Amino acid sequence: MNALIRIATAACAILMVQTAVADSSVKKVSGNYTYYGDKNDSPFMSKMKALEGARLDAISKEFGTIVSQDVLQADRIDSKGETSNFFSLSSTEVKGEWIADDGEPTFVVSLGNDDCLIVNCRVNGTAKSISNDAVEFEAVALRNGNTKGNSSTEYHQGDDLFLSFTTPVDGYVSVFLMGNNGDVCKMLPYQQDSRQEVKVKKNYDYIFFDPTKGMGEFGEVDAFCIGTDGDIEFNKLYVVFSPNPFSVPVLHPAKSDASLPYLTEEEFSKWLVKNRRNDPKMGVKQINLKLYPN
């Protein structure tokens, strides 16, 4: 994968996935959405926003939505004295989450009267209703530092990538990275960890991919720095957690010395769907990363 240059050495381990069982909360869904871009949107970003809208449309039609409203107060003190401003924020959240695409999304691109892109997207896929069974955990991408103040989803060539992780219950965690080309690399468990599982304790602040914060029970730490092919890239981190043990997917050998063992997007989606059907307590957090060249 071009998005990351792996510093530590790696070895590939292969384990079999668990057999899935039926889960009525997992549904086949389809959605449609038209995104009206502006002059700051690239064709790629316009398509990604249309795809995200189509996925949300599919989920909302199947599982419904929740509308919430918050009122925030912002106080400011300057030479003119103290002022208070109030802001009302409304949000609509879908009552489900996207698991995987079923086939390729279809896009119809046109130009509006202002020469801005209009992108319609239709998508089919698999989604799961959100229940109270899945464990809520915290996962934050960090740039060039191992504290919460280094939280970021935008990286430049040569930046170090770390992950902060905390869970309210004991369990198991794994981390994957999907690149621009759709290949998915396993970043955690570390490549030299023969047990191929990361068992974590509740209420402990873990920092992964940082050799200075290495924890011996997880094996030799793999460290990562950002690299691109000279273009802006969009990657996705998938953090998978469950209080129950689960097996990592079967991996293909690394394509080069500077990359990791991988699986295709379709293979990863199938593995994730099977495991989530089998384990309703498994939760997934997706972190979108934007990578810039120098």
Side-chain angles (χ1 to χ4, degrees):
M1 177 171 297
N2 295 324
L4 289 179
I5 301 173
R6 202 169 136 269
I7 298 175
T9 58
C12 177
I14 300 178
L15 295 176
M16 296 301 294
V17 299
Q18 298 174 345
T19 303
V21 296
D23 183 352
S24 60
S25 67
V26 177
K27 302 287 187 181
K28 292 289 186 181
V29 296
S30 61
N32 176 54
Y33 181 79
T34 299
Y35 175 73
Y36 296 88
D38 58 39
K39 294 183 179 180
N40 294 321
D41 287 325
S42 67
F44 178 82
M45 282 304 301
S46 296
K47 284 187 175 182
M48 290 302 96
K49 291 177 180 179
L51 175 59
E52 185 68 19
R55 288 172 175 169
L56 291 174
D57 175 65
I59 295 171
S60 64
K61 287 191 297 187
E62 181 66 37
F63 302 114
T65 60
I66 301 172
V67 179
S68 61
Q69 186 175 51
D70 295 311
V71 177
L72 306 179
Q73 178 179 344
D75 296 323
R76 177 179 297 177
I77 300 176
D78 54 25
S79 59
K80 297 181 180 179
E82 181 176 349
T83 59
S84 295
N85 294 319
F86 294 88
F87 304 92
S88 178
L89 302 177
S90 297
S91 63
T92 301
E93 299 179 359
V94 292
K95 296 167 65 176
E97 57 185 338
W98 195 261
I99 297 178
D101 291 348
D102 183 5
E104 292 292 329
T106 59
F107 298 96
V108 177
V109 182
S110 59
L111 283 176
N113 294 332
D114 53 1
D115 291 332
C116 293
L117 290 176
I118 301 174
V119 181
N120 176 263
C121 177
R122 294 180 179 272
V123 65
N124 298 311
T126 307
K128 178 182 175 66
S129 64
I130 294 177
S131 69
N132 292 327
D133 293 336
V135 177
E136 291 289 337
F137 60 89
E138 181 181 85
V140 181
L142 308 176
R143 180 172 66 90
N144 293 335
N146 54 29
T147 67
K148 295 289 182 65
N150 297 100
S151 172
S152 179
T153 57
E154 296 191 352
Y155 292 77
H156 292 264
Q157 179 97 9
D159 284 343
D160 293 323
L161 171 65
F162 307 112
L163 181 74
S164 171
F165 177 85
T166 310
T167 170
V169 298
D170 293 348
Y172 300 83
V173 62
S174 192
V175 180
F176 300 87
L177 179 83
M178 179 182 293
N180 261 5
N181 61 359
D183 287 349
V184 181
C185 293
K186 177 178 69 66
M187 300 175 67
L188 193 73
Y190 296 132
Q191 306 306 306
Q192 297 294 336
D193 186 356
S194 59
R195 293 168 301 173
Q196 288 299 289
E197 65 180 28
V198 174
K199 187 175 183 179
V200 289
K201 300 176 182 179
K202 65 180 180 180
N203 301 326
Y204 186 90
D205 294 328
Y206 291 93
I207 302 294
F208 293 115
F209 317 132
D210 182 0
T212 68
K213 296 285 186 178
M215 290 148 283
E217 68 268 30
F218 302 146
E220 182 180 350
V221 175
D222 291 333
F224 299 90
C225 68
I226 298 300
T228 73
D229 282 336
D231 297 318
I232 295 177
E233 296 188 17
F234 298 88
N235 288 192
K236 296 178 182 179
L237 275 178
Y238 289 90
V239 184
V240 183
F241 174 80
S242 175
N244 305 310
F246 57 91
S247 298
V248 297
V250 175
L251 302 170
H252 302 293
K255 295 180 178 179
S256 68
D257 293 338
S259 63
L260 292 171
Y262 74 99
L263 63 161
T264 66
E265 182 177 2
E266 181 180 1
E267 291 167 339
F268 176 71
S269 296
K270 288 181 178 179
W271 171 82
L272 191 58
V273 169
K274 287 181 180 180
N275 277 272
R276 300 202 69 189
R277 282 176 174 170
N278 192 54
D279 183 3
K281 293 185 178 296
M282 177 178 281
V284 180
K285 182 171 183 179
Q286 175 184 310
I287 304 174
N288 296 315
L289 305 179
K290 189 173 184 180
L291 316 182
Y292 295 92
N294 285 335

